[in-house]
Amino acid sequence: MCGIIGYIGKENAVPIILDGLKRLEYRGYDSAGIAIMNEKGFEVAKQKGRLTALEELIKQRPIKGYIGIGHTRWATHGEPSDINSHPHVGSKNKIAIVHNGIIENYKQIKERLEQKGIKFVSQTDSEVIAQLAEYYYNGDIVETVIKTANALEGSYALGIMCLDEPNKLIAIKKDNPLIIGVAEHGNFIASDVPAILKHTNRVYYLNDKEIAVLTKSGVEFYNMDREPIYKEPEIITWSVDSAEKGGYEHFMLKEIMEQPRAIRDTIQSVLANGDNGKVIESLDVTRFSKFVITGCGSAYNAGVVAKYVFEKLCRVPVEVELASEFRYKDPIIDNNTLVILISQSGETADTIAAMREAKRRGAVTLSIVNVMGSTIAKETDYTLYTMAGPEIAVATTKAFSAQLVMLYLLAVTFARKLGKLSDEEERKLFSEIASLPDKVSEMLKNVDTIQKYATTCVGYKSIFFIGRNIDYAIALEGSLKLKEISYIHSEAYAGGELKHGTISLIEDNTLVVAISCCERLYEKIYSNVEQVISRGAKVLFIGNCIKALPGEKLEIVNIPVINELFSPSLSVIILQLFSYYVAANKGLDIDKPRNLAKSVTVE
Ligand code: G6P
């Protein structure tokens, strides 16, 4: 969840690292820090709070050097404070580290080192890495890193500098992402691609327990036996602009607006003979007796939508599980189960654990991932890449939309392969899916109604989302989106559940957001709308089959007509815009909501 970056090269590392940290801030923003190695030794600046506080500190006390490491923190062990911020330097002032992950046996290591008289200054698990490395250091930093890593239990991505070997920057990882970038002027380590995209698109993906030794002029890789290993660099196709705000006030709004492109590219990657299409075609779907879909947060919600689509088209039972629950529930899966893992980052700890559990039990695994080279992408049997491009805002929008269309395309292809659809029916459904980018584009040209309406909604304490069938599935995402960024309490309910308790929550001036894209269920959801209005609620009614007329308590947003199975891709646009504008009107830090991080690499 934390973000790390390191640089060694011909240029001053400080501005490069600060810029990288800005792009990594979505991974955590409790504190930020930087350590530079120069002729004076280590110069460390670290500060609780947002990166701007660190920038201010460095303005007052400038530091400079050609090798350095930086960190942006999402606190796990030890409260957010200056002292608990990274980088951590051992008490001999010889080794400095930045760490992303959790060291599970840090207490034992700490006790052992304390008995030897080593004094710790922070409450973090990470400090033990710097202290232990110093304790082991024998004049050879690579050997020291191997010995240190062998003593650590848990997960880590590490950037390490050693004062006695000032021309090296060391990186190693286990169960947390780390990439190595190579540029003309120097070399980088980073938690992800956008942090260094400005400098290079040539990256190496580190595998678990591989060590990278970076110098000004190159990079070498070793295994834990210190044998050299050969790795091929990958060329990243994401453009530099895609990781910039491009004139928008927030990344979230920019990413909402990019959805027609993200959806179109994802469709193309399947239908226009792209790699994703080939992967889907290569899968023998007839062998599966059920599908299990798992993920966390919005990725899970995409799975809930997909269950309706798969079951309707394929007539194969689908279970949707929260990845954090799946791993501990003794799941009933075997080699006739296809487990579909959905993850934007490909690094979510719970989803990784679910994937490994599924593999252990012999299931076939297929992932839908946005980040190339990520752990989930690498470890599943089949990998499909969503073409959303880098997503920076913590609240997902374009990656979610890309996941939805990928799932539709998968479901339709599977249904044809299973003999549930003729070629002709498949073509028809594909062409409906292919109409989505233009429809979303049209909707995004006209955001005034929802923008205006959102200004009237900032005062609500609670907002309820209702829908039936697939509209209920997307209501879950609408509710999550709203609460993550606006801090307004919200919940989603199936319309039919209202009478079983939920309706007691409705009082004067409660807001209910109702969704209606399943025409066959229109009367049912409309009667829910009437029920809540008669109990004092106001309703925002979003749909493509609404017959009611707007009124004092009823706002209506009409959206384009499409097959109900694919309608979540349209209703979600209004739900995203609604959340965005409510949060914007509250003046909140939309791209970095409090306590959240985009990529949750801890359990
Ligand atoms: C975090 C984010 C959510 C995201 C979830 C899963 O909780 O705040 O927006 O949906 O992680 O992330 P993934 O990268 O696995 O899709």
Side-chain angles (χ1 to χ4, degrees):
M1 334 256 295
C2 307
I4 68 182
I5 175 154
Y7 174 75
I8 178 164
K10 293 183 202 143
E11 296 188 5
N12 180 8
V14 178
I16 291 177
I17 290 174
L18 285 175
D19 180 72
L21 288 178
K22 205 174 285 165
R23 292 158 205 282
L24 288 170
E25 236 193 333
Y26 71 84
R27 300 176 71 90
Y29 27 85
D30 290 329
S31 65
I34 174 166
I36 293 297
M37 184 159 57
N38 57 27
E39 43 315 322
K40 294 183 213 154
F42 289 132
E43 289 198 282
V44 181
K46 49 189 194 176
Q47 185 84 43
K48 180 184 165 186
R50 294 289 164 93
L51 184 61
T52 45
L54 176 69
E55 285 172 329
E56 206 38 55
L57 180 73
I58 291 176
K59 236 185 245 160
Q60 285 158 20
R61 281 196 282 124
I63 50 176
K64 191 175 175 184
Y66 298 89
I67 165 169
I69 48 181
H71 188 271
T72 171
R73 179 167 186 245
W74 190 83
T76 53
H77 292 69
E79 54 164 19
S81 68
D82 294 353
I83 209 78
N84 286 338
S85 308
H86 296 222
H88 290 283
V89 182
S91 38
K92 294 184 200 157
N93 247 318
K94 226 182 220 330
I95 289 180
I97 65 112
V98 282
H99 170 222
N100 169 29
I102 290 185
I103 303 304
E104 284 157 10
N105 60 340
Y106 84 101
K107 279 204 179 109
Q108 294 92 305
I109 299 177
K110 192 169 177 176
E111 271 166 30
R112 228 175 81 206
L113 293 175
E114 277 175 338
Q115 276 161 19
K116 296 179 195 296
I118 294 168
K119 297 247 172 321
F120 281 75
V121 292
S122 77
Q123 289 93 50
T124 63
D125 55 335
S126 308
E127 189 187 349
V128 302
I129 306 168
Q131 300 285 16
L132 187 66
E134 277 194 350
Y135 175 71
Y136 282 148
Y137 187 63
N138 60 355
D140 183 336
I141 187 63
V142 176
E143 205 179 302
T144 302
V145 168
I146 292 174
K147 204 164 166 190
T148 306
N150 279 332
L152 301 177
E153 283 166 23
S155 59
Y156 48 81
L158 292 169
I160 304 164
M161 300 190 295
C162 174
L163 218 48
D164 289 354
E165 298 181 51
N167 301 319
K168 289 180 195 150
L169 173 60
I170 313 287
I172 183 169
K173 70 149 236 144
K174 179 179 164 270
D175 293 338
N176 268 310
L178 201 56
I179 58 163
I180 311 297
V182 288
E184 283 291 305
H185 60 81
N187 299 311
F188 297 82
I189 65 169
S191 296
D192 73 12
V193 171
I196 58 168
L197 203 51
K198 206 170 153 181
H199 303 278
T200 183
N201 65 350
R202 285 183 64 210
V203 305
Y204 296 91
Y205 289 93
L206 268 195
N207 291 320
D208 279 356
K209 296 212 165 174
E210 284 178 352
I211 300 149
V213 180
L214 287 75
T215 58
K216 272 192 171 97
S217 54
V219 49
E220 287 168 357
F221 299 97
Y222 298 93
N223 64 18
M224 292 294 273
D225 293 325
R226 217 198 168 150
E227 292 158 348
I229 45 180
Y230 177 75
K231 289 177 80 70
E232 275 286 342
E234 310 249 2
I235 304 297
I236 303 296
T237 52
W238 290 353
S239 73
V240 181
D241 294 351
S242 58
E244 305 284 344
K245 268 193 214 157
Y248 287 96
E249 201 176 334
H250 297 102
F251 275 110
M252 182 173 174
L253 186 58
K254 178 189 175 231
E255 288 162 2
I256 288 174
M257 295 299 171
E258 283 174 349
Q259 289 182 108
R261 204 259 326 126
I263 297 172
R264 186 172 291 116
D265 288 357
T266 304
I267 295 171
Q268 292 277 316
S269 73
V270 175
L271 297 187
N273 215 11
D275 286 348
N276 285 329
K278 288 177 194 146
V279 171
I280 298 175
E281 275 310 324
S282 69
L283 221 169
D284 173 18
V285 66
T286 55
R287 61 180 280 199
F288 302 119
S289 54
K290 78 170 170 185
F291 305 140
V292 174
I293 307 179
T294 185
C296 300
S298 296
Y300 167 82
N301 291 341
V304 180
V305 172
K307 176 179 163 79
Y308 288 91
V309 185
F310 276 83
E311 288 192 338
K312 174 82 186 156
L313 296 176
C314 301
R315 310 309 296 156
V316 172
V318 178
E319 289 165 17
V320 191
E321 303 274 6
L322 290 163
S324 53
E325 289 295 314
F326 177 81
R327 59 188 295 194
Y328 294 121
K329 72 180 280 267
D330 198 5
I332 306 172
I333 53 173
D334 57 23
N335 55 7
N336 293 319
T337 313
L338 177 68
V339 175
I340 301 175
L341 299 122
I342 308 174
S343 175
Q344 186 283 130
S345 62
E347 299 293 350
T348 299
D350 287 321
T351 315
I352 291 175
M355 167 187 71
R356 292 184 180 154
E357 180 63 18
K359 291 187 89 159
R360 200 176 65 76
R361 289 172 184 254
V364 176
T365 53
L366 176 148
S367 59
I368 297 178
V369 175
N370 194 44
V371 177
M372 196 178 152
S374 54
T375 304
I376 295 174
K378 279 192 295 200
E379 287 187 28
T380 41
D381 301 314
Y382 298 86
T383 305
L384 300 174
Y385 283 110
T386 44
M387 298 293 152
E391 193 178 62
I392 312 289
V394 165
T396 179
T397 51
K398 62 175 180 169
F400 176 80
S401 286
Q403 286 162 356
L404 283 186
V405 294
M406 184 63 86
L407 287 157
Y408 305 155
L409 293 160
L410 198 59
V412 172
T413 314
F414 280 4
R416 190 251 307 144
K417 285 178 156 214
L418 290 165
K420 301 285 190 269
L421 290 178
S422 65
D423 288 0
E424 181 51 28
E425 285 164 329
E426 182 191 48
R427 254 196 306 279
K428 265 201 192 132
L429 291 172
F430 279 158
S431 86
E432 289 227 47
I433 297 170
S435 75
L436 280 169
D438 286 347
K439 289 188 164 132
V440 172
S441 229
E442 274 311 303
M443 292 172 73
L444 290 173
K445 278 187 199 141
N446 189 5
V447 300
D448 297 4
T449 313
I450 196 69
Q451 186 174 5
K452 260 193 223 130
Y453 187 72
T455 60
T456 68
C457 299
V458 290
Y460 288 111
K461 286 210 171 55
S462 270
I463 297 181
F464 297 96
F465 289 75
I466 59 169
R468 285 171 178 260
N469 205 258
I470 206 160
D471 290 329
Y472 163 58
I474 203 64
L476 293 169
E477 176 62 7
S479 166
L480 175 59
K481 212 75 313 165
L482 181 80
K483 71 184 114 191
E484 339 185 56
I485 60 167
S486 74
Y487 314 150
I488 295 175
H489 166 253
S490 81
E491 288 183 51
Y493 292 100
E497 275 296 294
L498 275 183
K499 55 188 174 295
H500 299 296
T502 324
I503 203 148
S504 65
L505 297 168
I506 305 296
E507 49 188 357
D508 268 357
N509 285 325
T510 311
L511 181 65
V512 175
V513 179
I515 304 159
S516 178
C517 295
C518 299
E519 195 168 6
R520 64 203 163 92
L521 297 174
Y522 174 73
E523 300 304 335
K524 306 271 175 216
I525 193 73
Y526 183 58
S527 82
N528 293 141
V529 167
E530 285 192 309
Q531 284 158 17
V532 295
I533 288 181
S534 69
R535 282 159 179 83
K538 289 191 174 161
V539 172
L540 168 61
F541 204 8
I542 301 165
N544 57 17
C545 53
I546 299 173
K547 296 175 196 111
L549 295 173
E552 198 206 324
K553 294 200 161 229
L554 183 62
E555 177 76 20
I556 293 176
V557 177
N558 287 305
I559 63 172
V561 175
I562 193 152
N563 185 322
E564 72 176 44
L565 293 178
F566 313 135
S567 65
S569 290
L570 302 182
S571 41
V572 78
I573 303 293
I574 303 297
L575 297 169
Q576 293 166 347
L577 288 165
F578 175 65
S579 301
Y580 174 79
Y581 286 118
V582 170
N585 277 296
K586 289 182 82 178
L588 296 171
D589 191 353
I590 294 179
D591 287 336
K592 300 183 204 86
R594 69 181 176 215
N595 304 335
L596 292 177
K598 186 156 189 70
S599 173
V600 184
T601 55
V602 294
E603 217 185 299

